[in-house]
């Protein structure tokens, strides 16, 4: 592994530990020339798959789109970044375990909403409002009433 500071190709691993529930390895490395330390992550290369959009077009799966959408929904909410990362990792693992290598965006959206509903109800409503393209306040109210009915809080 090349040192990011001096570009020397001789670096050594000084510490390794599993991360992401054992699906990746975090390695601390030290350069033999400049002595600086840096971190690398080793993870299994995931199988490439396509997302079928609402308009029928296809694009490569991008985990950052899911991550950014969830972060936006959870903005100013008491949700830890680790919880968000866990949701994204779980969704990505689930998608990689599918036999089909194409998935509709609506399937991904529904899975995200399931996770958000358990994590934070406000984040869930925020995400749902964008994902389901709520047209007015009544649509918000209907979704909240449905959520309350499902959870037995009404």
């Amino acid at each position: 592994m090349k040192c990011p500071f001096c570009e020397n190709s001789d670096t050594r691993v000084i510490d390794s530990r599993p991360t992401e529930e054992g699906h990746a390895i975090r390695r601390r490395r030290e350069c033999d020339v400049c002595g600086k330390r840096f971190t690398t992550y080793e993870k299994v290369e995931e199988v490439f798959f396509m997302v079928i959009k609402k308009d029928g077009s296809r694009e490569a799966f991008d985990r950052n789109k899911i991550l950014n959408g969830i972060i936006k929904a959870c903005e100013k909410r008491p949700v830890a970044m680790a919880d968000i990362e866990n949701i994204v990792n779980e969704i990505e693992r689930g998608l990689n375990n599918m036999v089909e290598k194409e998935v509709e965006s609506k399937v991904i959206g529904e899975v995200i909403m399931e996770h958000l509903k358990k994590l934070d109800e406000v984040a869930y409503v925020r995400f749902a409002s964008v994902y389901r393209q709520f047209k007015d306040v009544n649509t918000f109210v209907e979704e909240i009433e449905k959520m309350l009915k499902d959870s037995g809080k009404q």
Side-chain angles (χ1 to χ4, degrees), residues 48-94:
F48 178 78
F49 63 94
M50 301 297 287
V51 176
I52 304 168
K53 307 294 280 179
K54 287 179 188 175
D55 66 1
S57 64
R58 286 167 166 69
E59 66 179 44
F61 173 76
D62 182 358
R63 92 178 243 118
N64 288 325
K65 283 188 171 185
I66 293 173
L67 181 65
N68 292 333
I70 295 173
I71 288 171
K72 265 196 166 95
C74 294
E75 203 168 90
K76 297 184 181 178
R77 297 296 303 153
V79 176
M81 191 62 195
D83 291 333
I84 295 171
E85 282 285 343
N86 287 339
I87 288 172
V88 175
N89 290 338
E90 196 172 315
I91 291 169
E92 188 174 27
R93 266 193 306 278

Side-chain angles (χ1 to χ4, degrees), residues 73 113 116 123-134 143:
M113 288 195 304
L116 285 176
Y124 164 77
V125 173
R126 285 178 179 171
F127 187 88
S129 71
V130 173
Y131 175 72
R132 292 193 175 140
Q133 300 174 337
F134 290 178
E143 186 65 33

